[in-house]
Amino acid sequence: KYYNEVIGFNMRLDECQAGFLSVKLKYLKEWTRQRQEIAGWYDEALKNIDDLILPSVAEDATHVYHVYLIRTKHRDALQKHLADNGIGTLIHYPIPIHLQKAYQDLGFKKGDFPIAEEIADTCLSLPMWPGMKKEMVGNIADVIKGFGK
């Protein structure tokens, strides 16, 4: 899924998918508003937790929160802790682009882009979808706060 051996393109928009999208686009603003509200709940519930980096938004910018991505040096253990408590998470893009096989001809090696590598090693996407309830976010936050105790 996240391991690219060849440079490719994402062209999955056939006529049927275009039809579905034309219906879903009507809900985009509301779904984005809901995601932003949910992200605010996460922000409030998870602030001040040591070793947890929350998403940030640049001044004069907005975020659609397609994912709510946190970062921690204890990512794998936290992911297991959440899974053990019935909470699914994902690790998006576990290998930085410069280390993908598809781009090996560019000659980059581990250490060339340390920030990208650190993010790939520490990022974890928490559950996020329009319609999530504040109680769900609170339960996820409580499990995270219980991590390591």
Side-chain angles (χ1 to χ4, degrees), residues 97-149:
I97 293 171
H98 69 285
L99 298 178
Q100 292 282 352
K101 186 174 181 182
Y103 296 98
Q104 69 184 5
D105 63 319
L106 297 176
F108 295 116
K109 62 187 178 314
K110 190 167 180 66
D112 285 345
F113 296 95
I115 295 171
E117 293 167 26
E118 179 182 346
I119 291 170
D121 290 341
T122 61
C123 66
L124 183 65
S125 296
L126 299 181
M128 166 61 84
W129 66 87
M132 277 185 82
K133 303 296 181 206
K134 192 171 188 176
E135 296 77 27
M136 294 174 181
V137 171
N139 290 337
I140 293 165
D142 288 344
V143 172
I144 291 172
K145 289 174 185 175
F147 174 64
K149 291 184 178 177

Side-chain angles (χ1 to χ4, degrees), residues 35-49:
R35 287 176 177 274
Q36 290 167 336
E37 181 178 36
I38 295 161
W41 298 337
Y42 270 125
D43 289 345
E44 184 63 29
L46 298 175
K47 68 180 180 184
N48 302 322
I49 297 177

